[in-house]
Amino acid sequence: MAPDTAQTYQVPMSSDSPPASSSPSGLPRSTFAIIFAVSMVTAMGNTGMISVLPAIGRSIGMPDPMVAAVFSLSALLWAFSSPLWARLSDRYGRKPLMMVGLAGFMVSMAFCAAVVAAGLHHLAAPVVIFILFLLARALFGLFGAASNPATQAYVAEHTPEEQRTKSMSGLAGAFSLGTVIGPFIAPLFVLPFLGLAGPMACFSLMAGVMLVIVWRRLPESRYRPPPPPAGSPSLGETPSGPPMWRDPRITPFLIYGFIVAVSQTAQGQTLGFLIIDRLAVSPTAAQGFIAIAMMFGAMAGLLAQWGLIPRFEMTPRQLLRWGVAVAALGNVIVAAAPDYWGVVAGYAISSLGFGLARPGFTVGASLAVRMEEQARAAGAIAAVNGINVVLAPAFVVLYQHVQSAPFLLNAVLMVAMLVYAYSNPQLKAANPRPAKVENPDGGLV
């Protein structure tokens, strides 16, 4: 993909998308709908896969920690590649990078379906299937990471600062809606001729359809960041500062976001095993119950992002505090729940909290940097959201020894983040206005 020095982001919006009809982000509705769908389809596929993984692992004969570790290599590649894709989106545009991400997701899901089908038919030993599954999923971590910073930067570039919380929450709602739909429809795709590999094959087809829609219908962003100065810094650095993950303006948000993402991922990946063991049924028989629990959790996340945040006009500072407090309560309920419905209630409450906390650190980081730094900030956030998955197998190992331990640990981590949100100067200052910090020369940036 060669750079086109004549390219600009001044491509007009399509004629069927009049500016007068706009989404909360300030984009034409049809444009916002496409960006929304890109995030939703990805979330559908990922959470749909998570919902069937416990059944896949136990049907093939893979140990539970090994099932959770399927995402580890992908998560590492996601974390390291996200800043690169963010920089490339500044250079080549948001739309091409969304297409790269969708293509990576499509191919990865297709390969995962093939590997799972081979495992279910016992064509190879479980350890061989695990390695192949790990590599197939790694394609998503390497190439699928391209779309996340591009979509976030696209929305941020078309949103006034005072509307950033609302627009980013709307985009986050795409993830929550996808997590509602994915686990709900995944069991419907367990087809006779594909079995548990069916959901991944169908999600791959959906990504292919979305790829064509983005190619044909999505206009390029109208904003173009200024070109970097001569002798620009290396990947991940701002023109006049340290690497983005060390930038004092957003480092506290990244730390907070990492811990929140670790807790949410650990809970989501442990939930399926907990439900199978609580119900004492076969993995396939438990699949519907897992899907129902994940659906309630996703609906709670939607309630947070589409209901509570706009209704009460919550600021990033409020989201950072309320989010982890509610998530801590939900994890305690899951740990103490005596039956299936108690687990579902606790999971829904914690998902409500995560639905508040994640837009809090995402918007806080976005508002803390300049407009030309949005893609790099989005890349850092995407890296945080990816690398946390590496720790999920440790929570599953902990679950094998004491079933309530992962959820109690999550509650402790959320309380720690509540204290951090009240004590850290940057998080305390998070609000609808851009955060300001002193730069090395003593001025404000």
Side-chain angles (χ1 to χ4, degrees), residues 96-309:
L97 272 296
M98 290 185 210
M99 294 174 63
V100 170
L102 283 168
F105 177 77
M106 177 184 68
V107 173
S108 173
M109 276 291 182
F111 283 170
C112 286
V115 170
V116 169
L120 294 172
H121 288 86
H122 306 291
L123 300 180
V127 66
V128 175
I129 296 298
F130 165 72
I131 294 172
L132 294 176
F133 203 169
L134 191 73
L135 295 175
R137 179 64 185 176
L139 292 174
F140 173 72
L142 184 59
F143 296 102
S147 60
N148 192 287
T151 55
Q152 183 176 319
Y154 196 116
V155 173
E157 289 162 357
H158 293 79
T159 308
E161 292 170 354
E162 64 273 11
Q163 297 179 13
R164 195 76 56 81
T165 300
K166 185 177 181 180
S167 63
M168 289 295 189
S169 298
L171 185 61
F175 174 83
S176 296
L177 184 59
T179 58
V180 171
I181 299 174
F184 178 75
I185 66 175
L188 304 178
F189 296 148
V190 181
L191 306 172
F193 53 93
L194 287 175
L196 290 168
M200 284 162 281
C202 293
F203 290 131
S204 177
L205 291 175
M206 292 181 190
V209 171
M210 200 64 236
L211 177 62
V212 174
I213 292 174
V214 170
W215 172 47
R216 298 294 299 272
R217 304 298 300 172
L218 182 69
E220 182 54 271
S221 175
R222 293 170 294 182
Y223 176 82
R224 183 174 179 86
S232 58
S234 60
L235 178 63
E237 298 184 6
T238 60
S240 59
M244 191 61 74
W245 57 271
R246 287 172 46 201
D247 191 313
R249 295 171 296 172
I250 69 168
T251 297
F253 294 101
L254 298 179
I255 294 172
Y256 176 100
F258 174 73
I259 299 300
V260 167
V262 165
S263 296
Q264 186 175 19
T265 300
Q267 187 187 50
Q269 293 203 10
T270 311
L271 179 72
F273 299 116
L274 177 63
I275 291 175
I276 292 173
D277 294 334
R278 286 288 175 88
L279 294 176
V281 297
S282 70
T284 303
Q287 190 55 52
F289 293 96
I290 296 171
I292 290 172
M294 296 187 72
M295 184 176 67
F296 272 100
M299 290 173 64
L302 274 178
L303 173 63
Q305 291 158 358
W306 288 0
L308 300 182
I309 293 175

Side-chain angles (χ1 to χ4, degrees), residues 25-49:
S25 70
L27 292 168
R29 287 190 188 278
S30 59
T31 302
F32 184 79
I34 293 173
I35 298 172
F36 185 94
V38 170
S39 297
M40 185 182 71
V41 167
T42 304
M44 284 171 52
N46 286 330
T47 56
M49 176 188 282

